[in-house]
Amino acid sequence: MKQNYRGIRRLRRDGNCFYRAFGFAYIEYLLNGKLIKEAGRFKKKCDECKDTLIANGYTQFTVEDFHEQFVGMVDRFTVDGGTLEELEEVFNDQAYSDYYVVFLRLLVSAYIQKQAGYFVNFIDEGKTINQFCETEVEPMARESDNIHVAALALAVELPIYVENCQQSGELNRIEFPAYSDLILDNAGETSSDNHDIHSEQVSNENDSFINNYKQNSSSPPVTLLYRPGHYDILYPNS
């Protein structure tokens, strides 16, 4: 691991580690790169999530509250000049951190519901999309699997890299793309019959996005280390 990574940031083992890891790692990436334009793009995705949830019958006041808190945090560490030390303090404060986790869970739920025809291929135990979101996505402390990671990457159009630590200690890298040509279009059709979250090839659009962030940084925005039931943040070598 030392050959490819210069550090690791460990997170609390509370079932919310994936969302907390993504939130911190991505905001840290925006902060360090002073990426105000990218932050604006990300906030638009958050707005889309809010609108989808309200359209699906979620309580407007509650959704807007979590959305406002989350977007306000993004602004604080991009537009308003917040520091890394302040970011660490905020994410270590459970009262604030849990707010952000809830919103990211809602964001994933909204996207899975919006693209139900795609994600139904990965849900077992006879659950409907709504049942899956109600029991496996939205509740706090529910652990996250590949479907959650894939949905978040697609929802915010940001590639997420996960190093899966094997029992032998070897790392198996999975790249969750920011785009997929398997997502249902407006006509309810897909462009491929191959439904495999693990083997999707990164699209040309995603290649363009990767080239864009590589101009600002030699490492991907979010790289996580996965060990059974837990995620930590990895910092690739420059």
Side-chain angles (χ1 to χ4, degrees), residues 200-230:
E200 290 174 11
Q201 296 298 313
V202 178
S203 68
N204 290 333
E205 288 176 296
N206 196 31
D207 287 337
S208 176
F209 179 86
I210 291 174
N211 289 334
N212 179 61
Y213 78 67
K214 280 186 175 179
Q215 293 176 4
N216 299 293
S217 172
S218 59
S219 59
V222 177
T223 301
L224 306 179
L225 173 66
Y226 176 76
R227 286 165 289 189
H230 186 66

PDB file of all heavy atoms in Angstrom, residues 200-230:
ATOM      1  N   GLU A 200     -18.493  -2.148 -15.535  1.00  0.00           N
ATOM      2  CA  GLU A 200     -18.796  -1.074 -16.462  1.00  0.00           C
ATOM      3  C   GLU A 200     -17.518  -0.350 -16.871  1.00  0.00           C
ATOM      4  O   GLU A 200     -16.651  -0.077 -16.061  1.00  0.00           O
ATOM      5  CB  GLU A 200     -19.746  -0.062 -15.815  1.00  0.00           C
ATOM      6  CG  GLU A 200     -21.142  -0.605 -15.624  1.00  0.00           C
ATOM      7  CD  GLU A 200     -22.012   0.368 -14.863  1.00  0.00           C
ATOM      8  OE1 GLU A 200     -21.581   1.515 -14.682  1.00  0.00           O
ATOM      9  OE2 GLU A 200     -23.105  -0.033 -14.457  1.00  0.00           O
ATOM     10  N   GLN A 201     -17.434  -0.027 -18.143  1.00  0.00           N
ATOM     11  CA  GLN A 201     -16.305   0.732 -18.638  1.00  0.00           C
ATOM     12  C   GLN A 201     -16.609   2.215 -18.504  1.00  0.00           C
ATOM     13  O   GLN A 201     -17.719   2.670 -18.741  1.00  0.00           O
ATOM     14  CB  GLN A 201     -16.041   0.390 -20.113  1.00  0.00           C
ATOM     15  CG  GLN A 201     -15.637  -1.055 -20.322  1.00  0.00           C
ATOM     16  CD  GLN A 201     -14.347  -1.384 -19.602  1.00  0.00           C
ATOM     17  OE1 GLN A 201     -13.375  -0.633 -19.684  1.00  0.00           O
ATOM     18  NE2 GLN A 201     -14.333  -2.496 -18.893  1.00  0.00           N
ATOM     19  N   VAL A 202     -15.617   2.989 -18.116  1.00  0.00           N
ATOM     20  CA  VAL A 202     -15.800   4.421 -17.972  1.00  0.00           C
ATOM     21  C   VAL A 202     -16.056   5.022 -19.348  1.00  0.00           C
ATOM     22  O   VAL A 202     -15.330   4.766 -20.293  1.00  0.00           O
ATOM     23  CB  VAL A 202     -14.543   5.062 -17.344  1.00  0.00           C
ATOM     24  CG1 VAL A 202     -14.716   6.563 -17.234  1.00  0.00           C
ATOM     25  CG2 VAL A 202     -14.268   4.450 -15.980  1.00  0.00           C
ATOM     26  N   SER A 203     -17.108   5.826 -19.457  1.00  0.00           N
ATOM     27  CA  SER A 203     -17.503   6.392 -20.738  1.00  0.00           C
ATOM     28  C   SER A 203     -16.566   7.508 -21.160  1.00  0.00           C
ATOM     29  O   SER A 203     -15.734   7.985 -20.397  1.00  0.00           O
ATOM     30  CB  SER A 203     -18.928   6.944 -20.639  1.00  0.00           C
ATOM     31  OG  SER A 203     -18.937   8.076 -19.792  1.00  0.00           O
ATOM     32  N   ASN A 204     -16.725   7.953 -22.413  1.00  0.00           N
ATOM     33  CA  ASN A 204     -15.914   9.056 -22.909  1.00  0.00           C
ATOM     34  C   ASN A 204     -16.143  10.312 -22.081  1.00  0.00           C
ATOM     35  O   ASN A 204     -15.225  11.087 -21.838  1.00  0.00           O
ATOM     36  CB  ASN A 204     -16.250   9.332 -24.378  1.00  0.00           C
ATOM     37  CG  ASN A 204     -15.771   8.220 -25.287  1.00  0.00           C
ATOM     38  OD1 ASN A 204     -14.808   7.526 -24.958  1.00  0.00           O
ATOM     39  ND2 ASN A 204     -16.435   8.049 -26.419  1.00  0.00           N
ATOM     40  N   GLU A 205     -17.402  10.519 -21.638  1.00  0.00           N
ATOM     41  CA  GLU A 205     -17.698  11.680 -20.810  1.00  0.00           C
ATOM     42  C   GLU A 205     -16.922  11.611 -19.505  1.00  0.00           C
ATOM     43  O   GLU A 205     -16.389  12.596 -19.020  1.00  0.00           O
ATOM     44  CB  GLU A 205     -19.199  11.743 -20.521  1.00  0.00           C
ATOM     45  CG  GLU A 205     -20.043  12.131 -21.715  1.00  0.00           C
ATOM     46  CD  GLU A 205     -21.515  12.075 -21.377  1.00  0.00           C
ATOM     47  OE1 GLU A 205     -22.013  10.968 -21.091  1.00  0.00           O
ATOM     48  OE2 GLU A 205     -22.155  13.125 -21.401  1.00  0.00           O
ATOM     49  N   ASN A 206     -16.864  10.415 -18.932  1.00  0.00           N
ATOM     50  CA  ASN A 206     -16.143  10.247 -17.678  1.00  0.00           C
ATOM     51  C   ASN A 206     -14.647  10.419 -17.891  1.00  0.00           C
ATOM     52  O   ASN A 206     -13.946  10.972 -17.044  1.00  0.00           O
ATOM     53  CB  ASN A 206     -16.443   8.868 -17.092  1.00  0.00           C
ATOM     54  CG  ASN A 206     -16.057   8.775 -15.634  1.00  0.00           C
ATOM     55  OD1 ASN A 206     -16.124   9.766 -14.925  1.00  0.00           O
ATOM     56  ND2 ASN A 206     -15.669   7.602 -15.206  1.00  0.00           N
ATOM     57  N   ASP A 207     -14.135   9.934 -19.030  1.00  0.00           N
ATOM     58  CA  ASP A 207     -12.727  10.148 -19.348  1.00  0.00           C
ATOM     59  C   ASP A 207     -12.422  11.640 -19.383  1.00  0.00           C
ATOM     60  O   ASP A 207     -11.381  12.094 -18.907  1.00  0.00           O
ATOM     61  CB  ASP A 207     -12.386   9.526 -20.706  1.00  0.00           C
ATOM     62  CG  ASP A 207     -12.331   8.009 -20.636  1.00  0.00           C
ATOM     63  OD1 ASP A 207     -12.116   7.486 -19.529  1.00  0.00           O
ATOM     64  OD2 ASP A 207     -12.506   7.364 -21.683  1.00  0.00           O
ATOM     65  N   SER A 208     -13.352  12.415 -19.969  1.00  0.00           N
ATOM     66  CA  SER A 208     -13.167  13.858 -20.042  1.00  0.00           C
ATOM     67  C   SER A 208     -13.126  14.465 -18.653  1.00  0.00           C
ATOM     68  O   SER A 208     -12.315  15.339 -18.358  1.00  0.00           O
ATOM     69  CB  SER A 208     -14.304  14.491 -20.856  1.00  0.00           C
ATOM     70  OG  SER A 208     -14.196  15.893 -20.860  1.00  0.00           O
ATOM     71  N   PHE A 209     -14.018  13.983 -17.769  1.00  0.00           N
ATOM     72  CA  PHE A 209     -14.044  14.490 -16.396  1.00  0.00           C
ATOM     73  C   PHE A 209     -12.741  14.170 -15.687  1.00  0.00           C
ATOM     74  O   PHE A 209     -12.166  15.007 -14.993  1.00  0.00           O
ATOM     75  CB  PHE A 209     -15.218  13.874 -15.634  1.00  0.00           C
ATOM     76  CG  PHE A 209     -15.301  14.337 -14.209  1.00  0.00           C
ATOM     77  CD1 PHE A 209     -15.960  15.504 -13.884  1.00  0.00           C
ATOM     78  CD2 PHE A 209     -14.692  13.618 -13.199  1.00  0.00           C
ATOM     79  CE1 PHE A 209     -16.026  15.935 -12.575  1.00  0.00           C
ATOM     80  CE2 PHE A 209     -14.757  14.046 -11.886  1.00  0.00           C
ATOM     81  CZ  PHE A 209     -15.431  15.203 -11.581  1.00  0.00           C
ATOM     82  N   ILE A 210     -12.256  12.928 -15.859  1.00  0.00           N
ATOM     83  CA  ILE A 210     -11.008  12.524 -15.217  1.00  0.00           C
ATOM     84  C   ILE A 210      -9.849  13.382 -15.712  1.00  0.00           C
ATOM     85  O   ILE A 210      -9.008  13.828 -14.932  1.00  0.00           O
ATOM     86  CB  ILE A 210     -10.730  11.028 -15.472  1.00  0.00           C
ATOM     87  CG1 ILE A 210     -11.762  10.174 -14.718  1.00  0.00           C
ATOM     88  CG2 ILE A 210      -9.328  10.646 -15.033  1.00  0.00           C
ATOM     89  CD1 ILE A 210     -11.662   8.696 -15.014  1.00  0.00           C
ATOM     90  N   ASN A 211      -9.800  13.629 -17.018  1.00  0.00           N
ATOM     91  CA  ASN A 211      -8.744  14.485 -17.554  1.00  0.00           C
ATOM     92  C   ASN A 211      -8.827  15.880 -16.958  1.00  0.00           C
ATOM     93  O   ASN A 211      -7.808  16.526 -16.690  1.00  0.00           O
ATOM     94  CB  ASN A 211      -8.857  14.563 -19.079  1.00  0.00           C
ATOM     95  CG  ASN A 211      -8.472  13.257 -19.742  1.00  0.00           C
ATOM     96  OD1 ASN A 211      -7.697  12.483 -19.186  1.00  0.00           O
ATOM     97  ND2 ASN A 211      -9.018  12.999 -20.924  1.00  0.00           N
ATOM     98  N   ASN A 212     -10.054  16.358 -16.719  1.00  0.00           N
ATOM     99  CA  ASN A 212     -10.248  17.687 -16.159  1.00  0.00           C
ATOM    100  C   ASN A 212      -9.684  17.779 -14.749  1.00  0.00           C
ATOM    101  O   ASN A 212      -8.972  18.718 -14.412  1.00  0.00           O
ATOM    102  CB  ASN A 212     -11.736  18.033 -16.149  1.00  0.00           C
ATOM    103  CG  ASN A 212     -11.997  19.400 -15.547  1.00  0.00           C
ATOM    104  OD1 ASN A 212     -11.523  20.399 -16.061  1.00  0.00           O
ATOM    105  ND2 ASN A 212     -12.764  19.433 -14.470  1.00  0.00           N
ATOM    106  N   TYR A 213      -9.996  16.793 -13.885  1.00  0.00           N
ATOM    107  CA  TYR A 213      -9.494  16.913 -12.521  1.00  0.00           C
ATOM    108  C   TYR A 213      -8.010  16.595 -12.435  1.00  0.00           C
ATOM    109  O   TYR A 213      -7.318  17.051 -11.539  1.00  0.00           O
ATOM    110  CB  TYR A 213     -10.324  16.082 -11.529  1.00  0.00           C
ATOM    111  CG  TYR A 213     -10.084  14.600 -11.475  1.00  0.00           C
ATOM    112  CD1 TYR A 213      -8.886  14.071 -11.020  1.00  0.00           C
ATOM    113  CD2 TYR A 213     -11.091  13.709 -11.834  1.00  0.00           C
ATOM    114  CE1 TYR A 213      -8.684  12.714 -10.939  1.00  0.00           C
ATOM    115  CE2 TYR A 213     -10.894  12.345 -11.752  1.00  0.00           C
ATOM    116  CZ  TYR A 213      -9.695  11.856 -11.300  1.00  0.00           C
ATOM    117  OH  TYR A 213      -9.506  10.508 -11.220  1.00  0.00           O
ATOM    118  N   LYS A 214      -7.486  15.834 -13.407  1.00  0.00           N
ATOM    119  CA  LYS A 214      -6.054  15.564 -13.389  1.00  0.00           C
ATOM    120  C   LYS A 214      -5.242  16.821 -13.672  1.00  0.00           C
ATOM    121  O   LYS A 214      -4.075  16.903 -13.326  1.00  0.00           O
ATOM    122  CB  LYS A 214      -5.709  14.470 -14.406  1.00  0.00           C
ATOM    123  CG  LYS A 214      -6.011  13.065 -13.887  1.00  0.00           C
ATOM    124  CD  LYS A 214      -5.530  12.001 -14.838  1.00  0.00           C
ATOM    125  CE  LYS A 214      -5.731  10.611 -14.257  1.00  0.00           C
ATOM    126  NZ  LYS A 214      -5.288   9.544 -15.178  1.00  0.00           N
ATOM    127  N   GLN A 215      -5.875  17.815 -14.306  1.00  0.00           N
ATOM    128  CA  GLN A 215      -5.191  19.077 -14.524  1.00  0.00           C
ATOM    129  C   GLN A 215      -4.995  19.812 -13.204  1.00  0.00           C
ATOM    130  O   GLN A 215      -4.094  20.625 -13.055  1.00  0.00           O
ATOM    131  CB  GLN A 215      -5.999  19.944 -15.494  1.00  0.00           C
ATOM    132  CG  GLN A 215      -6.070  19.378 -16.897  1.00  0.00           C
ATOM    133  CD  GLN A 215      -6.957  20.210 -17.801  1.00  0.00           C
ATOM    134  OE1 GLN A 215      -7.462  21.256 -17.398  1.00  0.00           O
ATOM    135  NE2 GLN A 215      -7.143  19.756 -19.025  1.00  0.00           N
ATOM    136  N   ASN A 216      -5.873  19.520 -12.235  1.00  0.00           N
ATOM    137  CA  ASN A 216      -5.790  20.168 -10.933  1.00  0.00           C
ATOM    138  C   ASN A 216      -5.100  19.297  -9.893  1.00  0.00           C
ATOM    139  O   ASN A 216      -4.603  19.783  -8.897  1.00  0.00           O
ATOM    140  CB  ASN A 216      -7.204  20.504 -10.433  1.00  0.00           C
ATOM    141  CG  ASN A 216      -7.924  21.451 -11.365  1.00  0.00           C
ATOM    142  OD1 ASN A 216      -7.542  22.598 -11.504  1.00  0.00           O
ATOM    143  ND2 ASN A 216      -8.963  20.956 -12.019  1.00  0.00           N
ATOM    144  N   SER A 217      -5.102  17.995 -10.104  1.00  0.00           N
ATOM    145  CA  SER A 217      -4.543  17.075  -9.120  1.00  0.00           C
ATOM    146  C   SER A 217      -4.119  15.798  -9.819  1.00  0.00           C
ATOM    147  O   SER A 217      -4.739  15.367 -10.782  1.00  0.00           O
ATOM    148  CB  SER A 217      -5.590  16.761  -8.045  1.00  0.00           C
ATOM    149  OG  SER A 217      -5.131  15.739  -7.190  1.00  0.00           O
ATOM    150  N   SER A 218      -3.050  15.190  -9.331  1.00  0.00           N
ATOM    151  CA  SER A 218      -2.561  13.958  -9.936  1.00  0.00           C
ATOM    152  C   SER A 218      -3.267  12.734  -9.372  1.00  0.00           C
ATOM    153  O   SER A 218      -2.977  11.618  -9.770  1.00  0.00           O
ATOM    154  CB  SER A 218      -1.050  13.833  -9.704  1.00  0.00           C
ATOM    155  OG  SER A 218      -0.766  13.831  -8.318  1.00  0.00           O
ATOM    156  N   SER A 219      -4.171  12.918  -8.433  1.00  0.00           N
ATOM    157  CA  SER A 219      -4.876  11.798  -7.831  1.00  0.00           C
ATOM    158  C   SER A 219      -6.377  11.996  -7.973  1.00  0.00           C
ATOM    159  O   SER A 219      -6.855  13.120  -8.111  1.00  0.00           O
ATOM    160  CB  SER A 219      -4.500  11.671  -6.350  1.00  0.00           C
ATOM    161  OG  SER A 219      -4.816  12.854  -5.654  1.00  0.00           O
ATOM    162  N   PRO A 220      -7.166  10.906  -7.948  1.00  0.00           N
ATOM    163  CA  PRO A 220      -8.617  11.022  -8.076  1.00  0.00           C
ATOM    164  C   PRO A 220      -9.213  11.761  -6.883  1.00  0.00           C
ATOM    165  O   PRO A 220      -8.632  11.784  -5.797  1.00  0.00           O
ATOM    166  CB  PRO A 220      -9.076   9.562  -8.126  1.00  0.00           C
ATOM    167  CG  PRO A 220      -7.981   8.787  -7.486  1.00  0.00           C
ATOM    168  CD  PRO A 220      -6.719   9.511  -7.816  1.00  0.00           C
ATOM    169  N   PRO A 221     -10.395  12.365  -7.060  1.00  0.00           N
ATOM    170  CA  PRO A 221     -11.010  13.136  -5.975  1.00  0.00           C
ATOM    171  C   PRO A 221     -11.291  12.315  -4.721  1.00  0.00           C
ATOM    172  O   PRO A 221     -11.085  12.791  -3.614  1.00  0.00           O
ATOM    173  CB  PRO A 221     -12.316  13.637  -6.602  1.00  0.00           C
ATOM    174  CG  PRO A 221     -12.083  13.601  -8.065  1.00  0.00           C
ATOM    175  CD  PRO A 221     -11.172  12.448  -8.307  1.00  0.00           C
ATOM    176  N   VAL A 222     -11.772  11.079  -4.903  1.00  0.00           N
ATOM    177  CA  VAL A 222     -12.142  10.257  -3.750  1.00  0.00           C
ATOM    178  C   VAL A 222     -11.616   8.836  -3.949  1.00  0.00           C
ATOM    179  O   VAL A 222     -11.994   8.157  -4.902  1.00  0.00           O
ATOM    180  CB  VAL A 222     -13.671  10.212  -3.557  1.00  0.00           C
ATOM    181  CG1 VAL A 222     -14.032   9.280  -2.397  1.00  0.00           C
ATOM    182  CG2 VAL A 222     -14.233  11.610  -3.314  1.00  0.00           C
ATOM    183  N   THR A 223     -10.741   8.412  -3.049  1.00  0.00           N
ATOM    184  CA  THR A 223     -10.266   7.032  -3.027  1.00  0.00           C
ATOM    185  C   THR A 223     -10.467   6.488  -1.618  1.00  0.00           C
ATOM    186  O   THR A 223     -10.007   7.088  -0.642  1.00  0.00           O
ATOM    187  CB  THR A 223      -8.776   6.932  -3.403  1.00  0.00           C
ATOM    188  OG1 THR A 223      -8.575   7.470  -4.713  1.00  0.00           O
ATOM    189  CG2 THR A 223      -8.321   5.475  -3.393  1.00  0.00           C
ATOM    190  N   LEU A 224     -11.151   5.364  -1.523  1.00  0.00           N
ATOM    191  CA  LEU A 224     -11.469   4.785  -0.222  1.00  0.00           C
ATOM    192  C   LEU A 224     -10.855   3.401  -0.083  1.00  0.00           C
ATOM    193  O   LEU A 224     -10.649   2.700  -1.075  1.00  0.00           O
ATOM    194  CB  LEU A 224     -12.990   4.688  -0.040  1.00  0.00           C
ATOM    195  CG  LEU A 224     -13.789   5.979  -0.251  1.00  0.00           C
ATOM    196  CD1 LEU A 224     -15.279   5.708  -0.069  1.00  0.00           C
ATOM    197  CD2 LEU A 224     -13.324   7.086   0.683  1.00  0.00           C
ATOM    198  N   LEU A 225     -10.563   3.030   1.140  1.00  0.00           N
ATOM    199  CA  LEU A 225     -10.106   1.680   1.455  1.00  0.00           C
ATOM    200  C   LEU A 225     -11.270   0.922   2.078  1.00  0.00           C
ATOM    201  O   LEU A 225     -11.871   1.391   3.049  1.00  0.00           O
ATOM    202  CB  LEU A 225      -8.936   1.727   2.442  1.00  0.00           C
ATOM    203  CG  LEU A 225      -8.465   0.366   2.984  1.00  0.00           C
ATOM    204  CD1 LEU A 225      -7.869  -0.493   1.871  1.00  0.00           C
ATOM    205  CD2 LEU A 225      -7.451   0.565   4.118  1.00  0.00           C
ATOM    206  N   TYR A 226     -11.585  -0.236   1.496  1.00  0.00           N
ATOM    207  CA  TYR A 226     -12.682  -1.043   2.037  1.00  0.00           C
ATOM    208  C   TYR A 226     -12.139  -2.317   2.662  1.00  0.00           C
ATOM    209  O   TYR A 226     -11.377  -3.057   2.049  1.00  0.00           O
ATOM    210  CB  TYR A 226     -13.682  -1.421   0.945  1.00  0.00           C
ATOM    211  CG  TYR A 226     -14.781  -2.333   1.459  1.00  0.00           C
ATOM    212  CD1 TYR A 226     -15.822  -1.823   2.223  1.00  0.00           C
ATOM    213  CD2 TYR A 226     -14.744  -3.703   1.211  1.00  0.00           C
ATOM    214  CE1 TYR A 226     -16.816  -2.654   2.725  1.00  0.00           C
ATOM    215  CE2 TYR A 226     -15.736  -4.543   1.708  1.00  0.00           C
ATOM    216  CZ  TYR A 226     -16.767  -4.010   2.461  1.00  0.00           C
ATOM    217  OH  TYR A 226     -17.740  -4.835   2.959  1.00  0.00           O
ATOM    218  N   ARG A 227     -12.522  -2.522   3.902  1.00  0.00           N
ATOM    219  CA  ARG A 227     -12.348  -3.793   4.582  1.00  0.00           C
ATOM    220  C   ARG A 227     -13.721  -4.205   5.081  1.00  0.00           C
ATOM    221  O   ARG A 227     -14.559  -3.331   5.299  1.00  0.00           O
ATOM    222  CB  ARG A 227     -11.345  -3.651   5.729  1.00  0.00           C
ATOM    223  CG  ARG A 227      -9.906  -3.525   5.248  1.00  0.00           C
ATOM    224  CD  ARG A 227      -8.977  -3.039   6.324  1.00  0.00           C
ATOM    225  NE  ARG A 227      -9.213  -1.633   6.645  1.00  0.00           N
ATOM    226  CZ  ARG A 227      -8.415  -0.919   7.432  1.00  0.00           C
ATOM    227  NH1 ARG A 227      -7.360  -1.471   7.970  1.00  0.00           N
ATOM    228  NH2 ARG A 227      -8.694   0.347   7.681  1.00  0.00           N
ATOM    229  N   PRO A 228     -13.994  -5.498   5.241  1.00  0.00           N
ATOM    230  CA  PRO A 228     -15.362  -5.950   5.520  1.00  0.00           C
ATOM    231  C   PRO A 228     -16.113  -5.059   6.508  1.00  0.00           C
ATOM    232  O   PRO A 228     -15.737  -4.923   7.665  1.00  0.00           O
ATOM    233  CB  PRO A 228     -15.149  -7.362   6.075  1.00  0.00           C
ATOM    234  CG  PRO A 228     -13.930  -7.837   5.354  1.00  0.00           C
ATOM    235  CD  PRO A 228     -13.043  -6.621   5.247  1.00  0.00           C
ATOM    236  N   GLY A 229     -17.161  -4.412   5.996  1.00  0.00           N
ATOM    237  CA  GLY A 229     -18.022  -3.590   6.836  1.00  0.00           C
ATOM    238  C   GLY A 229     -17.518  -2.201   7.134  1.00  0.00           C
ATOM    239  O   GLY A 229     -18.143  -1.479   7.919  1.00  0.00           O
ATOM    240  N   HIS A 230     -16.407  -1.775   6.499  1.00  0.00           N
ATOM    241  CA  HIS A 230     -15.862  -0.472   6.881  1.00  0.00           C
ATOM    242  C   HIS A 230     -15.076   0.183   5.748  1.00  0.00           C
ATOM    243  O   HIS A 230     -14.394  -0.486   4.969  1.00  0.00           O
ATOM    244  CB  HIS A 230     -14.950  -0.615   8.094  1.00  0.00           C
ATOM    245  CG  HIS A 230     -14.473   0.695   8.632  1.00  0.00           C
ATOM    246  ND1 HIS A 230     -15.318   1.623   9.202  1.00  0.00           N
ATOM    247  CD2 HIS A 230     -13.232   1.252   8.664  1.00  0.00           C
ATOM    248  CE1 HIS A 230     -14.621   2.682   9.575  1.00  0.00           C
ATOM    249  NE2 HIS A 230     -13.360   2.483   9.256  1.00  0.00           N
TER     250      HIS A 230
END
